[in-house]
Amino acid sequence: MAPSAADTGLQVTHDGVVYAAEEVAHGAAYELFSTEEVDGFQRNPRPGSAFAWHRFVHVTEVTAVQGARDSAEVLEAPLMIPLNRARGWHDIHALSQTPAYAHDPTVAGIRRTAAIRRGTRMIKVLSARQLSGYLRGWLPYGFCYREHDVAHLRTPADLALLRTDADAGRDNPDVIYALRWRAADLYDFEIPLGDNHRGLGGMPAHDRVGPPVLGTGFTPSGRHIIPEFVTTDLADLPLPANATLLAYTPDGTEVVLYTYQPEQRGWLRMVGPQWRHLLAGVPDIAPDQEYVPSDEKNKSTRLVGRYRGQEYEAVADPPGEFRVLAMTRAARYPVEALSRRGAYARWRGVDCMVLRQESGWTRLRMCRPDSDGVAALGAQCYERGIYEAWAPAAEITDHRMVDIEYVLT
């Protein structure tokens, strides 16, 4: 709870003024405090705070930091924007929000500076319904962000910009949820840039959920330049160890609700009684329970490791640990090779990921959605960029298992 900045002595220089501060997201952003009203600051709603005003700023908005604690955390490479007299920030922002500039080399060059490495913290903002889905077995998929790029967005009002669902207006406005996990491999993610996922950019409003896909690689925003990612082929990704489900409150507090433990194959409750009211609006969830999904054997994707010539289910704990999935510590051998295995198929000429099979029917997710494919499959949009349909199993062709090899160093 702030104002611990007064105790730590951390001070940050922003716009030429030194403020007491608190580190956010391992140094990707800072919460600044002031005893007086300052332009851009908001009332600090925390009771008993010594500072009446506060605001969150990204690390790239800070010119100096004094009193910071040493950290082993490696900061992500920031988004690099070449500003000059001819082309300022507002010009770049306009380019990032204009689909006609999806092929502009300046836009593409800027976008590619925000790169994912093994161990990058990724985040996906969730509705209450989506949070319930992850507790019951969903895997990371679809649109997401590097935590580094959105660390300054800490309140439900600010984070609502990143929602992918159609539940806005039905959820409690005083809380928003998120899934955070570490990237196991950079090849698990794509940039929706230019011709990559071109069909999403041309999707009419009546066939999509959430804001449009601009094709510039940036999320639609009137204020920010935020690089966005999608999982490769819009596929599910295996949950790594220590993924977390989070809640954010109006004062910018981040609350860890659950942590994923792969050996137990479930979400362990981390939140204390004082925060359980944050789960009151989540459908079909009891705040005092832990959750172990019952369909682990039917996952659409999993990690497969090889150890001494044998194949085992594996678990990732990025950036450096990839091991055999085992209950006993002695059996958690480091794997010698690793791959992500998923099922793919074609239906009516459209490439899809196979999610599950039930009673002669197959649940499919389109890998490269476009209007023609959506019409051919009768697919429905369930969240931004995600189109799924049920297909008769007998009509499925080219049903295959695909192993995507990770390079272990």
Side-chain angles (χ1 to χ4, degrees):
M1 292 287 291
S4 57
D7 302 322
T8 63
L10 180 63
Q11 293 184 318
V12 164
T13 303
H14 172 69
D15 280 347
V17 180
V18 178
Y19 297 99
E22 184 71 10
E23 187 179 87
V24 172
H26 306 276
Y30 291 91
E31 182 176 10
L32 309 184
F33 301 98
S34 175
T35 57
E36 300 177 352
E37 183 176 2
V38 182
D39 186 36
F41 280 60
Q42 296 179 333
R43 279 283 183 185
N44 187 353
R46 299 184 180 97
S49 174
F51 301 95
W53 302 87
H54 77 147
R55 72 172 295 183
F56 295 94
V57 297
H58 197 264
V59 64
T60 54
E61 302 177 72
V62 168
T63 54
V65 179
Q66 297 176 329
R69 297 181 296 271
D70 292 335
S71 174
E73 191 73 20
V74 177
L75 280 180
E76 301 294 331
L79 182 73
M80 301 297 292
I81 302 177
L83 302 179
N84 52 50
R85 292 181 179 179
R87 183 172 275 180
W89 188 92
H90 293 289
D91 300 307
I92 298 297
H93 178 266
L95 293 178
S96 76
Q97 302 299 299
T98 308
Y101 288 94
H103 296 88
D104 185 283
T106 299
V107 173
I110 292 171
R111 178 59 189 82
R112 291 195 174 95
T113 63
I116 291 176
R117 61 180 176 85
R118 180 165 285 162
T120 293
R121 284 186 173 88
M122 305 300 296
I123 194 165
K124 179 172 181 173
V125 174
L126 309 176
S127 67
R129 178 185 56 82
Q130 289 173 316
L131 176 69
S132 177
Y134 280 96
L135 285 173
R136 297 183 179 278
W138 292 7
L139 298 174
Y141 66 91
F143 279 83
C144 53
Y145 301 87
R146 297 193 310 173
E147 183 189 44
H148 179 84
D149 298 316
V150 298
H152 59 303
L153 305 178
R154 298 285 292 188
T155 67
D158 286 340
L159 286 167
L161 169 72
L162 309 181
R163 289 178 66 149
T164 62
D165 61 279
D167 300 320
R170 292 184 291 219
D171 285 351
N172 181 353
D174 291 331
V175 61
I176 200 167
Y177 308 101
L179 170 70
R180 183 171 62 205
W181 74 101
R182 283 186 179 268
D185 198 280
L186 59 94
Y187 295 109
D188 286 342
F189 302 91
E190 298 176 328
I191 302 173
L193 174 68
D195 290 334
N196 193 9
H197 293 284
R198 177 175 51 186
L200 286 177
M203 205 69 70
H206 61 79
D207 278 343
R208 59 175 168 82
V209 168
V213 178
L214 301 176
T216 61
F218 297 96
T219 205
S221 171
R223 297 171 49 206
H224 306 286
I225 300 178
I226 301 176
E228 60 186 9
F229 297 86
V230 293
T231 56
T232 301
D233 294 332
L234 298 171
D236 291 346
L237 301 179
L239 266 174
N242 302 310
T244 53
L245 288 168
L246 311 166
Y248 292 90
T249 63
D251 62 9
T253 298
E254 177 189 283
V255 181
V256 178
L257 302 174
Y258 298 89
T259 298
Y260 184 72
Q261 297 300 314
E263 281 77 21
Q264 286 74 34
R265 298 181 183 269
W267 291 97
L268 303 185
R269 177 173 47 81
M270 304 297 291
V271 67
Q274 74 274 25
W275 294 114
R276 290 181 194 167
H277 68 278
L278 298 176
L279 294 165
V282 180
D284 305 318
I285 294 299
D288 57 346
Q289 289 185 194
E290 295 179 342
Y291 287 85
V292 180
S294 59
D295 61 345
E296 283 288 324
K297 293 184 178 180
N298 298 319
K299 293 292 189 188
S300 62
T301 187
R302 62 184 65 250
L303 286 182
V304 177
R306 285 170 288 284
Y307 177 74
R308 294 186 177 179
Q310 298 294 315
E311 188 176 277
Y312 300 91
E313 185 172 0
V315 61
D317 192 358
E321 187 173 344
F322 302 89
R323 61 179 186 267
V324 172
L325 180 61
M327 288 296 292
T328 59
R329 184 172 298 275
R332 297 174 188 171
Y333 309 112
V335 296
E336 298 161 351
L338 184 70
S339 62
R340 172 167 57 86
R341 178 173 295 170
Y344 289 80
R346 288 177 66 82
W347 184 40
R348 298 178 179 174
V350 178
D351 290 319
C352 300
M353 181 180 183
V354 176
L355 300 179
R356 61 183 182 275
Q357 295 178 299
E358 296 179 10
S359 304
W361 291 83
T362 303
R363 182 71 170 181
L364 302 173
R365 180 184 299 151
M366 298 176 66
C367 296
R368 289 288 187 275
D370 58 30
S371 295
D372 291 340
V374 168
L377 271 57
Q380 289 186 306
C381 186
Y382 288 87
E383 65 176 62
R384 186 172 183 239
I386 301 300
Y387 293 81
E388 298 179 3
W390 284 101
E395 296 183 12
I396 298 297
T397 62
D398 196 22
H399 194 168
R400 65 202 185 277
M401 300 300 297
V402 175
D403 278 11
I404 299 172
E405 297 288 336
Y406 293 167
V407 178
L408 300 182
T409 56

